[in-house]
Amino acid sequence: EMGLGKTIECLAVINANRAKSSECSTPKNLKIAHSETVWKNVPVTNALMLDGGVQFQRVQEKYVYYKSRATLVIAPVSLVGQWEKECVDKSKVKLACKRYYGSRIRDVRPYID
């Protein structure tokens, strides 16, 4: 439904609920919100069982979540430019827009402003 103001409403919510800068991370000072450890079953690549099955190994993986002022907006690639334009044109406060296409990069610093 084009023209119903969905983008404007989302921007209003983003602007109304902004976190205080002092509570959030900066690229030079990452503040941890919380972390957790997860056990995963990972296939062993060089191990083949006699019955043709795959052998798995339990691996421990740690996830760290950082405090951030960022808001993740998920949109089709064709609409990302429109979102950026609306952020500039319709927001009273300057919102920084950064595109992220789902790469597996673990360093969050480029996205934390």
Side-chain angles (χ1 to χ4, degrees):
E1 305 292 332
M2 289 178 51
L4 295 178
K6 296 178 296 296
T7 305
I8 302 300
E9 284 183 31
C10 289
L11 288 172
V13 170
I14 291 168
N15 282 314
N17 294 304
R18 292 180 58 107
K20 295 177 184 157
S21 298
S22 60
E23 299 171 355
C24 298
S25 299
T26 64
K28 292 182 181 177
N29 179 22
L30 295 176
K31 296 181 182 177
I32 296 175
H34 75 279
S35 62
E36 64 184 359
T37 302
V38 177
W39 285 95
K40 291 184 168 185
N41 290 324
V42 177
V44 178
T45 54
N46 58 355
L48 190 60
M49 311 227 357
L50 293 176
D51 62 357
V54 179
Q55 182 178 355
F56 289 91
Q57 173 182 344
R58 283 183 59 80
V59 176
Q60 192 176 22
E61 203 168 292
K62 184 175 181 179
Y63 292 94
V64 178
Y65 301 92
Y66 299 99
K67 294 181 180 180
S68 172
R69 293 185 72 184
T71 299
L72 178 64
V73 175
I74 300 173
V77 175
S78 60
L79 297 179
V80 172
Q82 177 65 26
W83 265 93
E84 289 174 334
K85 184 178 181 315
E86 296 286 336
C87 284
V88 171
D89 295 346
K90 304 293 195 270
S91 291
K92 289 184 179 179
V93 239
K94 185 178 183 315
L95 297 176
C97 296
K98 297 186 180 181
R99 293 183 183 209
Y100 177 77
Y101 292 103
S103 65
R104 300 281 182 201
I105 296 171
R106 298 267 181 181
D107 187 7
V108 296
R109 284 180 213 118
Y111 301 99
I112 286 188
D113 296 357

